[in-house]
Amino acid sequence: MSSMRITQAVGLGGVNNNNDVKAVQTALNKLLKLIPSTKILTVDGRLGSRPENSKTVAAIKLFQSKVVGMIRADGKVDVNGRSHRKINEKLTDFEKLQVAQNMVLSKYFKWSEFACHDSSKTPVPNEYKNNVKILAEQLSVLREKIAKPIHINCGYRTPEHNSKVGGVSSSCHLTAKAADISVKGMTPKEVHKAILDLISEGKIREGGLGLYNTFVHYDIRGTAARWGNK
Ligand SMILES: [Zn+2]
């Protein structure tokens, strides 16, 4: 998510493939604080008929002189060139800062994905935020192993919502230590197996693991608990 991928050079004298230009525009928009007075760029994948007058090229030049430290900013981002590498370095910093400030939960998950599924979408209470962070870290390991996005069917539950959906009163969902997940392209059994493997390899935390027909429950209670169809 954090790194910018381009297939060919973007900017003055670049090949300027539409998707590459979009990638640069998107990346620079996240780094606007580093290039003050630059306004948010339209992500249209274009530099216009006169690239030398394009706002995107102006932003690339400013980034090169201010951040890369180039004496002659050439307005071009070469694949794996200095500017490209510096953009990626700064994107990583940006992402870490967002995580540190709790603006985003992690590389793969958003806070909103773990909010209660009640009518007011009650967010995870502050006292349980650290649980969600730990849970998301474990799920990120799974995410990387299976190389597929994980859908959070259910994360945190308010006590009211928990009783409404028939959850037990000791449910780990109440403290935001649990997630019911599904993965497109994998059966719950396959997801369940992947989690079991990671636990036995010591790559994710021991906890509760339940196999259901349409999803898998995983929680970070710390001790082993297993249930559901086999
Ligand atoms: Zn559950």
Side-chain angles (χ1 to χ4, degrees):
M1 175 177 153
S2 65
S3 63
M4 175 183 85
R5 290 199 183 85
I6 53 172
T7 59
Q8 285 174 295
V10 170
L12 279 187
V15 180
N16 297 318
N17 283 325
N18 191 268
N19 282 334
D20 289 340
V21 175
K22 277 186 186 167
V24 170
Q25 290 168 330
T26 304
L28 289 173
N29 278 340
K30 291 180 184 167
L31 304 176
L32 290 177
K33 278 193 180 150
L34 301 175
I35 43 175
S37 84
T38 302
K39 298 267 189 304
I40 194 152
L41 303 167
T42 309
V43 181
D44 56 3
R46 293 165 198 277
L47 298 182
S49 54
R50 289 167 164 247
E52 63 275 22
N53 295 337
S54 116
K55 286 178 180 166
T56 301
V57 169
I60 293 172
K61 281 188 170 176
L62 195 58
F63 184 85
Q64 289 178 322
S65 58
K66 277 201 176 267
V67 187
V68 187
M70 285 168 68
I71 294 166
R72 288 179 180 214
D74 59 7
K76 187 169 103 170
V77 182
D78 285 308
V79 180
N80 288 324
R82 279 173 75 190
S83 303
H84 188 187
R85 295 197 309 267
K86 189 58 101 176
I87 286 174
N88 279 340
E89 184 190 314
K90 292 299 174 189
L91 283 176
T92 305
D93 291 350
F94 172 76
E95 203 167 68
K96 280 185 192 156
L97 185 72
Q98 280 203 314
V99 172
Q101 293 175 338
N102 279 344
M103 291 167 70
V104 295
L105 170 57
S106 78
K107 184 168 168 183
Y108 296 116
F109 300 103
K110 294 189 212 115
W111 284 108
S112 58
E113 292 176 90
F114 289 86
C116 185
H117 283 212
D118 57 5
S119 54
S120 47
K121 305 251 176 291
T122 307
V124 179
N126 283 335
E127 60 194 304
Y128 301 138
K129 278 194 170 163
N130 205 43
N131 294 342
V132 179
K133 281 189 170 184
I134 296 167
L135 179 61
E137 278 168 24
Q138 317 309 305
L139 294 175
S140 296
V141 177
L142 175 67
R143 167 72 178 76
E144 300 208 331
K145 176 187 166 87
I146 62 179
K148 288 188 178 65
I150 295 171
H151 180 74
I152 310 292
N153 302 22
C154 169
Y156 166 67
R157 282 183 205 149
T158 62
E160 296 73 24
H161 189 66
N162 190 56
S163 19
K164 205 174 149 189
V165 299
V168 292
S169 59
S170 59
S171 170
C172 283
H173 288 283
L174 292 166
T175 49
K177 285 184 175 179
D180 296 340
I181 61 172
S182 56
V183 177
K184 211 175 166 184
M186 288 177 80
T187 62
K189 219 169 189 164
E190 289 167 336
V191 176
H192 182 265
K193 169 83 168 54
I195 297 175
L196 267 183
D197 288 349
L198 286 172
I199 292 176
S200 62
E201 290 161 14
K203 292 181 178 160
I204 62 171
R205 291 196 186 193
E206 183 56 271
L209 188 56
L211 178 60
Y212 294 82
N213 288 331
T214 54
F215 65 89
V216 176
H217 166 109
Y218 168 67
D219 68 61
I220 52 164
R221 70 183 69 185
T223 51
R226 307 283 183 261
W227 67 92
N229 330 336
K230 280 278 145 47

PDB file of all heavy atoms in Angstrom, residues 147-184:
ATOM      1  N   ALA A 147      -1.997 -13.594   1.007  1.00  0.00           N
ATOM      2  CA  ALA A 147      -1.948 -12.617  -0.089  1.00  0.00           C
ATOM      3  C   ALA A 147      -3.329 -12.292  -0.661  1.00  0.00           C
ATOM      4  O   ALA A 147      -3.507 -12.164  -1.878  1.00  0.00           O
ATOM      5  CB  ALA A 147      -1.006 -13.098  -1.185  1.00  0.00           C
ATOM      6  N   LYS A 148      -4.297 -12.217   0.233  1.00  0.00           N
ATOM      7  CA  LYS A 148      -5.651 -11.839  -0.177  1.00  0.00           C
ATOM      8  C   LYS A 148      -6.251 -10.930   0.897  1.00  0.00           C
ATOM      9  O   LYS A 148      -5.971 -11.134   2.077  1.00  0.00           O
ATOM     10  CB  LYS A 148      -6.542 -13.082  -0.297  1.00  0.00           C
ATOM     11  CG  LYS A 148      -6.238 -13.965  -1.486  1.00  0.00           C
ATOM     12  CD  LYS A 148      -7.322 -15.051  -1.596  1.00  0.00           C
ATOM     13  CE  LYS A 148      -7.106 -15.934  -2.800  1.00  0.00           C
ATOM     14  NZ  LYS A 148      -5.878 -16.726  -2.720  1.00  0.00           N
ATOM     15  N   PRO A 149      -7.077  -9.967   0.478  1.00  0.00           N
ATOM     16  CA  PRO A 149      -7.714  -9.104   1.472  1.00  0.00           C
ATOM     17  C   PRO A 149      -8.622  -9.896   2.410  1.00  0.00           C
ATOM     18  O   PRO A 149      -9.280 -10.847   1.988  1.00  0.00           O
ATOM     19  CB  PRO A 149      -8.541  -8.123   0.635  1.00  0.00           C
ATOM     20  CG  PRO A 149      -8.005  -8.232  -0.746  1.00  0.00           C
ATOM     21  CD  PRO A 149      -7.449  -9.616  -0.887  1.00  0.00           C
ATOM     22  N   ILE A 150      -8.623  -9.489   3.663  1.00  0.00           N
ATOM     23  CA  ILE A 150      -9.459 -10.143   4.672  1.00  0.00           C
ATOM     24  C   ILE A 150     -10.662  -9.262   4.941  1.00  0.00           C
ATOM     25  O   ILE A 150     -10.515  -8.069   5.198  1.00  0.00           O
ATOM     26  CB  ILE A 150      -8.659 -10.341   5.976  1.00  0.00           C
ATOM     27  CG1 ILE A 150      -7.504 -11.317   5.733  1.00  0.00           C
ATOM     28  CG2 ILE A 150      -9.568 -10.812   7.114  1.00  0.00           C
ATOM     29  CD1 ILE A 150      -6.521 -11.414   6.892  1.00  0.00           C
ATOM     30  N   HIS A 151     -11.830  -9.856   4.869  1.00  0.00           N
ATOM     31  CA  HIS A 151     -13.039  -9.092   5.194  1.00  0.00           C
ATOM     32  C   HIS A 151     -13.385  -9.296   6.668  1.00  0.00           C
ATOM     33  O   HIS A 151     -13.475 -10.429   7.139  1.00  0.00           O
ATOM     34  CB  HIS A 151     -14.202  -9.529   4.303  1.00  0.00           C
ATOM     35  CG  HIS A 151     -15.451  -8.773   4.595  1.00  0.00           C
ATOM     36  ND1 HIS A 151     -15.626  -7.453   4.217  1.00  0.00           N
ATOM     37  CD2 HIS A 151     -16.570  -9.113   5.284  1.00  0.00           C
ATOM     38  CE1 HIS A 151     -16.796  -7.032   4.640  1.00  0.00           C
ATOM     39  NE2 HIS A 151     -17.397  -8.019   5.285  1.00  0.00           N
ATOM     40  N   ILE A 152     -13.567  -8.188   7.380  1.00  0.00           N
ATOM     41  CA  ILE A 152     -13.951  -8.273   8.788  1.00  0.00           C
ATOM     42  C   ILE A 152     -15.480  -8.273   8.853  1.00  0.00           C
ATOM     43  O   ILE A 152     -16.107  -7.223   8.682  1.00  0.00           O
ATOM     44  CB  ILE A 152     -13.399  -7.069   9.605  1.00  0.00           C
ATOM     45  CG1 ILE A 152     -11.896  -6.855   9.354  1.00  0.00           C
ATOM     46  CG2 ILE A 152     -13.715  -7.233  11.100  1.00  0.00           C
ATOM     47  CD1 ILE A 152     -10.992  -7.930   9.887  1.00  0.00           C
ATOM     48  N   ASN A 153     -16.065  -9.425   9.062  1.00  0.00           N
ATOM     49  CA  ASN A 153     -17.532  -9.510   9.146  1.00  0.00           C
ATOM     50  C   ASN A 153     -18.019  -8.864  10.434  1.00  0.00           C
ATOM     51  O   ASN A 153     -19.090  -8.290  10.497  1.00  0.00           O
ATOM     52  CB  ASN A 153     -18.015 -10.956   9.161  1.00  0.00           C
ATOM     53  CG  ASN A 153     -17.581 -11.738   7.943  1.00  0.00           C
ATOM     54  OD1 ASN A 153     -16.619 -11.376   7.274  1.00  0.00           O
ATOM     55  ND2 ASN A 153     -18.280 -12.813   7.654  1.00  0.00           N
ATOM     56  N   CYS A 154     -17.206  -9.011  11.459  1.00  0.00           N
ATOM     57  CA  CYS A 154     -17.607  -8.512  12.775  1.00  0.00           C
ATOM     58  C   CYS A 154     -16.364  -8.338  13.623  1.00  0.00           C
ATOM     59  O   CYS A 154     -15.531  -9.246  13.701  1.00  0.00           O
ATOM     60  CB  CYS A 154     -18.561  -9.528  13.404  1.00  0.00           C
ATOM     61  SG  CYS A 154     -18.899  -9.229  15.135  1.00  0.00           S
ATOM     62  N   GLY A 155     -16.205  -7.169  14.236  1.00  0.00           N
ATOM     63  CA  GLY A 155     -15.070  -6.931  15.131  1.00  0.00           C
ATOM     64  C   GLY A 155     -15.576  -6.664  16.526  1.00  0.00           C
ATOM     65  O   GLY A 155     -16.062  -7.561  17.214  1.00  0.00           O
ATOM     66  N   TYR A 156     -15.547  -5.385  16.916  1.00  0.00           N
ATOM     67  CA  TYR A 156     -16.050  -5.006  18.231  1.00  0.00           C
ATOM     68  C   TYR A 156     -17.577  -5.087  18.272  1.00  0.00           C
ATOM     69  O   TYR A 156     -18.246  -4.810  17.269  1.00  0.00           O
ATOM     70  CB  TYR A 156     -15.592  -3.577  18.548  1.00  0.00           C
ATOM     71  CG  TYR A 156     -16.304  -2.959  19.716  1.00  0.00           C
ATOM     72  CD1 TYR A 156     -16.106  -3.463  21.006  1.00  0.00           C
ATOM     73  CD2 TYR A 156     -17.179  -1.887  19.539  1.00  0.00           C
ATOM     74  CE1 TYR A 156     -16.776  -2.913  22.085  1.00  0.00           C
ATOM     75  CE2 TYR A 156     -17.851  -1.325  20.620  1.00  0.00           C
ATOM     76  CZ  TYR A 156     -17.653  -1.845  21.889  1.00  0.00           C
ATOM     77  OH  TYR A 156     -18.314  -1.300  22.944  1.00  0.00           O
ATOM     78  N   ARG A 157     -18.087  -5.487  19.447  1.00  0.00           N
ATOM     79  CA  ARG A 157     -19.543  -5.456  19.661  1.00  0.00           C
ATOM     80  C   ARG A 157     -19.839  -4.757  20.983  1.00  0.00           C
ATOM     81  O   ARG A 157     -19.211  -5.085  21.998  1.00  0.00           O
ATOM     82  CB  ARG A 157     -20.112  -6.871  19.787  1.00  0.00           C
ATOM     83  CG  ARG A 157     -20.282  -7.604  18.494  1.00  0.00           C
ATOM     84  CD  ARG A 157     -20.920  -8.967  18.785  1.00  0.00           C
ATOM     85  NE  ARG A 157     -20.611  -9.932  17.756  1.00  0.00           N
ATOM     86  CZ  ARG A 157     -20.488 -11.242  17.976  1.00  0.00           C
ATOM     87  NH1 ARG A 157     -20.648 -11.728  19.198  1.00  0.00           N
ATOM     88  NH2 ARG A 157     -20.214 -12.049  16.996  1.00  0.00           N
ATOM     89  N   THR A 158     -20.796  -3.855  20.947  1.00  0.00           N
ATOM     90  CA  THR A 158     -21.285  -3.280  22.201  1.00  0.00           C
ATOM     91  C   THR A 158     -22.041  -4.397  22.923  1.00  0.00           C
ATOM     92  O   THR A 158     -22.511  -5.350  22.275  1.00  0.00           O
ATOM     93  CB  THR A 158     -22.267  -2.115  21.949  1.00  0.00           C
ATOM     94  OG1 THR A 158     -23.402  -2.642  21.239  1.00  0.00           O
ATOM     95  CG2 THR A 158     -21.633  -1.005  21.128  1.00  0.00           C
ATOM     96  N   PRO A 159     -22.179  -4.307  24.259  1.00  0.00           N
ATOM     97  CA  PRO A 159     -22.933  -5.335  24.980  1.00  0.00           C
ATOM     98  C   PRO A 159     -24.350  -5.510  24.414  1.00  0.00           C
ATOM     99  O   PRO A 159     -24.839  -6.633  24.285  1.00  0.00           O
ATOM    100  CB  PRO A 159     -22.979  -4.798  26.414  1.00  0.00           C
ATOM    101  CG  PRO A 159     -21.768  -3.929  26.531  1.00  0.00           C
ATOM    102  CD  PRO A 159     -21.574  -3.316  25.159  1.00  0.00           C
ATOM    103  N   GLU A 160     -24.975  -4.403  24.027  1.00  0.00           N
ATOM    104  CA  GLU A 160     -26.337  -4.464  23.485  1.00  0.00           C
ATOM    105  C   GLU A 160     -26.358  -5.251  22.177  1.00  0.00           C
ATOM    106  O   GLU A 160     -27.189  -6.136  21.976  1.00  0.00           O
ATOM    107  CB  GLU A 160     -26.890  -3.049  23.223  1.00  0.00           C
ATOM    108  CG  GLU A 160     -27.057  -2.177  24.454  1.00  0.00           C
ATOM    109  CD  GLU A 160     -25.744  -1.670  25.039  1.00  0.00           C
ATOM    110  OE1 GLU A 160     -24.742  -1.593  24.289  1.00  0.00           O
ATOM    111  OE2 GLU A 160     -25.703  -1.381  26.255  1.00  0.00           O
ATOM    112  N   HIS A 161     -25.403  -4.913  21.314  1.00  0.00           N
ATOM    113  CA  HIS A 161     -25.386  -5.588  20.017  1.00  0.00           C
ATOM    114  C   HIS A 161     -25.017  -7.066  20.189  1.00  0.00           C
ATOM    115  O   HIS A 161     -25.545  -7.936  19.506  1.00  0.00           O
ATOM    116  CB  HIS A 161     -24.400  -4.903  19.074  1.00  0.00           C
ATOM    117  CG  HIS A 161     -24.475  -5.404  17.665  1.00  0.00           C
ATOM    118  ND1 HIS A 161     -25.586  -5.219  16.872  1.00  0.00           N
ATOM    119  CD2 HIS A 161     -23.600  -6.099  16.908  1.00  0.00           C
ATOM    120  CE1 HIS A 161     -25.379  -5.778  15.689  1.00  0.00           C
ATOM    121  NE2 HIS A 161     -24.177  -6.323  15.687  1.00  0.00           N
ATOM    122  N   ASN A 162     -24.143  -7.317  21.147  1.00  0.00           N
ATOM    123  CA  ASN A 162     -23.718  -8.693  21.390  1.00  0.00           C
ATOM    124  C   ASN A 162     -24.905  -9.572  21.799  1.00  0.00           C
ATOM    125  O   ASN A 162     -25.059 -10.682  21.302  1.00  0.00           O
ATOM    126  CB  ASN A 162     -22.634  -8.718  22.463  1.00  0.00           C
ATOM    127  CG  ASN A 162     -21.986 -10.078  22.603  1.00  0.00           C
ATOM    128  OD1 ASN A 162     -21.475 -10.630  21.634  1.00  0.00           O
ATOM    129  ND2 ASN A 162     -22.018 -10.635  23.807  1.00  0.00           N
ATOM    130  N   SER A 163     -25.757  -9.038  22.692  1.00  0.00           N
ATOM    131  CA  SER A 163     -26.900  -9.871  23.077  1.00  0.00           C
ATOM    132  C   SER A 163     -27.896  -9.989  21.935  1.00  0.00           C
ATOM    133  O   SER A 163     -28.520 -11.030  21.747  1.00  0.00           O
ATOM    134  CB  SER A 163     -27.582  -9.394  24.359  1.00  0.00           C
ATOM    135  OG  SER A 163     -27.290  -8.086  24.665  1.00  0.00           O
ATOM    136  N   LYS A 164     -28.008  -8.938  21.145  1.00  0.00           N
ATOM    137  CA  LYS A 164     -28.925  -8.968  20.011  1.00  0.00           C
ATOM    138  C   LYS A 164     -28.551 -10.056  19.008  1.00  0.00           C
ATOM    139  O   LYS A 164     -29.409 -10.745  18.444  1.00  0.00           O
ATOM    140  CB  LYS A 164     -28.895  -7.590  19.319  1.00  0.00           C
ATOM    141  CG  LYS A 164     -30.154  -7.277  18.552  1.00  0.00           C
ATOM    142  CD  LYS A 164     -30.096  -5.853  18.032  1.00  0.00           C
ATOM    143  CE  LYS A 164     -30.858  -5.715  16.735  1.00  0.00           C
ATOM    144  NZ  LYS A 164     -30.628  -4.404  16.118  1.00  0.00           N
ATOM    145  N   VAL A 165     -27.245 -10.217  18.776  1.00  0.00           N
ATOM    146  CA  VAL A 165     -26.829 -11.232  17.794  1.00  0.00           C
ATOM    147  C   VAL A 165     -26.573 -12.589  18.442  1.00  0.00           C
ATOM    148  O   VAL A 165     -26.094 -13.523  17.798  1.00  0.00           O
ATOM    149  CB  VAL A 165     -25.566 -10.792  16.989  1.00  0.00           C
ATOM    150  CG1 VAL A 165     -25.847  -9.535  16.204  1.00  0.00           C
ATOM    151  CG2 VAL A 165     -24.350 -10.611  17.892  1.00  0.00           C
ATOM    152  N   GLY A 166     -26.909 -12.689  19.731  1.00  0.00           N
ATOM    153  CA  GLY A 166     -26.806 -13.976  20.400  1.00  0.00           C
ATOM    154  C   GLY A 166     -25.396 -14.357  20.836  1.00  0.00           C
ATOM    155  O   GLY A 166     -25.078 -15.529  21.011  1.00  0.00           O
ATOM    156  N   GLY A 167     -24.534 -13.361  21.002  1.00  0.00           N
ATOM    157  CA  GLY A 167     -23.175 -13.649  21.467  1.00  0.00           C
ATOM    158  C   GLY A 167     -23.165 -14.008  22.946  1.00  0.00           C
ATOM    159  O   GLY A 167     -24.026 -13.558  23.707  1.00  0.00           O
ATOM    160  N   VAL A 168     -22.197 -14.825  23.344  1.00  0.00           N
ATOM    161  CA  VAL A 168     -22.106 -15.172  24.766  1.00  0.00           C
ATOM    162  C   VAL A 168     -21.596 -13.958  25.538  1.00  0.00           C
ATOM    163  O   VAL A 168     -20.913 -13.099  24.981  1.00  0.00           O
ATOM    164  CB  VAL A 168     -21.160 -16.379  25.011  1.00  0.00           C
ATOM    165  CG1 VAL A 168     -21.758 -17.646  24.429  1.00  0.00           C
ATOM    166  CG2 VAL A 168     -19.769 -16.129  24.448  1.00  0.00           C
ATOM    167  N   SER A 169     -21.945 -13.904  26.851  1.00  0.00           N
ATOM    168  CA  SER A 169     -21.621 -12.703  27.623  1.00  0.00           C
ATOM    169  C   SER A 169     -20.117 -12.534  27.833  1.00  0.00           C
ATOM    170  O   SER A 169     -19.646 -11.460  28.159  1.00  0.00           O
ATOM    171  CB  SER A 169     -22.354 -12.728  28.958  1.00  0.00           C
ATOM    172  OG  SER A 169     -21.957 -13.892  29.655  1.00  0.00           O
ATOM    173  N   SER A 170     -19.369 -13.626  27.635  1.00  0.00           N
ATOM    174  CA  SER A 170     -17.915 -13.528  27.802  1.00  0.00           C
ATOM    175  C   SER A 170     -17.211 -13.318  26.457  1.00  0.00           C
ATOM    176  O   SER A 170     -15.995 -13.459  26.361  1.00  0.00           O
ATOM    177  CB  SER A 170     -17.407 -14.820  28.439  1.00  0.00           C
ATOM    178  OG  SER A 170     -17.747 -15.911  27.591  1.00  0.00           O
ATOM    179  N   SER A 171     -17.987 -12.994  25.434  1.00  0.00           N
ATOM    180  CA  SER A 171     -17.413 -12.895  24.081  1.00  0.00           C
ATOM    181  C   SER A 171     -16.229 -11.933  23.992  1.00  0.00           C
ATOM    182  O   SER A 171     -16.267 -10.830  24.532  1.00  0.00           O
ATOM    183  CB  SER A 171     -18.504 -12.430  23.115  1.00  0.00           C
ATOM    184  OG  SER A 171     -17.924 -12.109  21.869  1.00  0.00           O
ATOM    185  N   CYS A 172     -15.199 -12.382  23.294  1.00  0.00           N
ATOM    186  CA  CYS A 172     -14.028 -11.520  23.072  1.00  0.00           C
ATOM    187  C   CYS A 172     -14.354 -10.339  22.154  1.00  0.00           C
ATOM    188  O   CYS A 172     -13.572  -9.401  22.041  1.00  0.00           O
ATOM    189  CB  CYS A 172     -12.870 -12.323  22.485  1.00  0.00           C
ATOM    190  SG  CYS A 172     -12.029 -13.336  23.698  1.00  0.00           S
ATOM    191  N   HIS A 173     -15.498 -10.394  21.493  1.00  0.00           N
ATOM    192  CA  HIS A 173     -15.900  -9.254  20.662  1.00  0.00           C
ATOM    193  C   HIS A 173     -16.198  -8.026  21.526  1.00  0.00           C
ATOM    194  O   HIS A 173     -16.068  -6.898  21.076  1.00  0.00           O
ATOM    195  CB  HIS A 173     -17.142  -9.600  19.831  1.00  0.00           C
ATOM    196  CG  HIS A 173     -16.870 -10.566  18.716  1.00  0.00           C
ATOM    197  ND1 HIS A 173     -16.268 -10.193  17.542  1.00  0.00           N
ATOM    198  CD2 HIS A 173     -17.091 -11.898  18.607  1.00  0.00           C
ATOM    199  CE1 HIS A 173     -16.151 -11.251  16.751  1.00  0.00           C
ATOM    200  NE2 HIS A 173     -16.646 -12.297  17.366  1.00  0.00           N
ATOM    201  N   LEU A 174     -16.597  -8.270  22.772  1.00  0.00           N
ATOM    202  CA  LEU A 174     -16.952  -7.164  23.667  1.00  0.00           C
ATOM    203  C   LEU A 174     -15.752  -6.300  24.039  1.00  0.00           C
ATOM    204  O   LEU A 174     -15.895  -5.123  24.356  1.00  0.00           O
ATOM    205  CB  LEU A 174     -17.579  -7.715  24.958  1.00  0.00           C
ATOM    206  CG  LEU A 174     -18.944  -8.375  24.794  1.00  0.00           C
ATOM    207  CD1 LEU A 174     -19.298  -9.175  26.032  1.00  0.00           C
ATOM    208  CD2 LEU A 174     -19.996  -7.313  24.509  1.00  0.00           C
ATOM    209  N   THR A 175     -14.580  -6.915  24.008  1.00  0.00           N
ATOM    210  CA  THR A 175     -13.367  -6.160  24.328  1.00  0.00           C
ATOM    211  C   THR A 175     -12.524  -5.921  23.078  1.00  0.00           C
ATOM    212  O   THR A 175     -11.354  -5.555  23.167  1.00  0.00           O
ATOM    213  CB  THR A 175     -12.522  -6.907  25.381  1.00  0.00           C
ATOM    214  OG1 THR A 175     -12.378  -8.273  24.956  1.00  0.00           O
ATOM    215  CG2 THR A 175     -13.171  -6.862  26.749  1.00  0.00           C
ATOM    216  N   ALA A 176     -13.140  -6.148  21.936  1.00  0.00           N
ATOM    217  CA  ALA A 176     -12.469  -5.917  20.646  1.00  0.00           C
ATOM    218  C   ALA A 176     -11.206  -6.754  20.483  1.00  0.00           C
ATOM    219  O   ALA A 176     -10.246  -6.341  19.853  1.00  0.00           O
ATOM    220  CB  ALA A 176     -12.160  -4.431  20.445  1.00  0.00           C
ATOM    221  N   LYS A 177     -11.246  -7.955  21.065  1.00  0.00           N
ATOM    222  CA  LYS A 177     -10.118  -8.873  20.904  1.00  0.00           C
ATOM    223  C   LYS A 177     -10.403  -9.928  19.838  1.00  0.00           C
ATOM    224  O   LYS A 177      -9.596 -10.836  19.641  1.00  0.00           O
ATOM    225  CB  LYS A 177      -9.847  -9.617  22.228  1.00  0.00           C
ATOM    226  CG  LYS A 177      -9.177  -8.771  23.287  1.00  0.00           C
ATOM    227  CD  LYS A 177      -8.859  -9.633  24.504  1.00  0.00           C
ATOM    228  CE  LYS A 177      -8.076  -8.849  25.530  1.00  0.00           C
ATOM    229  NZ  LYS A 177      -7.784  -9.661  26.722  1.00  0.00           N
ATOM    230  N   ALA A 178     -11.581  -9.833  19.230  1.00  0.00           N
ATOM    231  CA  ALA A 178     -11.985 -10.889  18.298  1.00  0.00           C
ATOM    232  C   ALA A 178     -12.453 -10.325  16.966  1.00  0.00           C
ATOM    233  O   ALA A 178     -12.968  -9.211  16.898  1.00  0.00           O
ATOM    234  CB  ALA A 178     -13.127 -11.702  18.909  1.00  0.00           C
ATOM    235  N   ALA A 179     -12.260 -11.125  15.938  1.00  0.00           N
ATOM    236  CA  ALA A 179     -12.809 -10.769  14.630  1.00  0.00           C
ATOM    237  C   ALA A 179     -13.360 -12.018  13.960  1.00  0.00           C
ATOM    238  O   ALA A 179     -12.759 -13.090  14.037  1.00  0.00           O
ATOM    239  CB  ALA A 179     -11.738 -10.143  13.748  1.00  0.00           C
ATOM    240  N   ASP A 180     -14.515 -11.859  13.346  1.00  0.00           N
ATOM    241  CA  ASP A 180     -15.056 -12.900  12.474  1.00  0.00           C
ATOM    242  C   ASP A 180     -14.673 -12.486  11.071  1.00  0.00           C
ATOM    243  O   ASP A 180     -14.981 -11.372  10.649  1.00  0.00           O
ATOM    244  CB  ASP A 180     -16.576 -12.987  12.600  1.00  0.00           C
ATOM    245  CG  ASP A 180     -17.007 -13.412  14.002  1.00  0.00           C
ATOM    246  OD1 ASP A 180     -16.170 -13.982  14.717  1.00  0.00           O
ATOM    247  OD2 ASP A 180     -18.174 -13.146  14.350  1.00  0.00           O
ATOM    248  N   ILE A 181     -13.984 -13.366  10.370  1.00  0.00           N
ATOM    249  CA  ILE A 181     -13.430 -12.957   9.085  1.00  0.00           C
ATOM    250  C   ILE A 181     -13.811 -13.917   7.963  1.00  0.00           C
ATOM    251  O   ILE A 181     -14.128 -15.082   8.200  1.00  0.00           O
ATOM    252  CB  ILE A 181     -11.888 -12.862   9.143  1.00  0.00           C
ATOM    253  CG1 ILE A 181     -11.264 -14.218   9.492  1.00  0.00           C
ATOM    254  CG2 ILE A 181     -11.445 -11.815  10.161  1.00  0.00           C
ATOM    255  CD1 ILE A 181      -9.745 -14.237   9.388  1.00  0.00           C
ATOM    256  N   SER A 182     -13.774 -13.391   6.754  1.00  0.00           N
ATOM    257  CA  SER A 182     -13.927 -14.237   5.578  1.00  0.00           C
ATOM    258  C   SER A 182     -12.998 -13.698   4.503  1.00  0.00           C
ATOM    259  O   SER A 182     -12.612 -12.525   4.535  1.00  0.00           O
ATOM    260  CB  SER A 182     -15.386 -14.251   5.111  1.00  0.00           C
ATOM    261  OG  SER A 182     -15.825 -12.934   4.869  1.00  0.00           O
ATOM    262  N   VAL A 183     -12.620 -14.570   3.610  1.00  0.00           N
ATOM    263  CA  VAL A 183     -11.680 -14.193   2.550  1.00  0.00           C
ATOM    264  C   VAL A 183     -12.240 -14.665   1.219  1.00  0.00           C
ATOM    265  O   VAL A 183     -12.565 -15.850   1.064  1.00  0.00           O
ATOM    266  CB  VAL A 183     -10.292 -14.844   2.787  1.00  0.00           C
ATOM    267  CG1 VAL A 183      -9.336 -14.506   1.649  1.00  0.00           C
ATOM    268  CG2 VAL A 183      -9.706 -14.400   4.128  1.00  0.00           C
ATOM    269  N   LYS A 184     -12.388 -13.741   0.314  1.00  0.00           N
ATOM    270  CA  LYS A 184     -12.899 -14.070  -1.016  1.00  0.00           C
ATOM    271  C   LYS A 184     -11.905 -15.006  -1.704  1.00  0.00           C
ATOM    272  O   LYS A 184     -10.710 -14.735  -1.732  1.00  0.00           O
ATOM    273  CB  LYS A 184     -13.052 -12.779  -1.822  1.00  0.00           C
ATOM    274  CG  LYS A 184     -14.175 -12.849  -2.813  1.00  0.00           C
ATOM    275  CD  LYS A 184     -14.351 -11.510  -3.498  1.00  0.00           C
ATOM    276  CE  LYS A 184     -15.242 -11.670  -4.714  1.00  0.00           C
ATOM    277  NZ  LYS A 184     -15.351 -10.411  -5.450  1.00  0.00           N
TER     278      LYS A 184
END
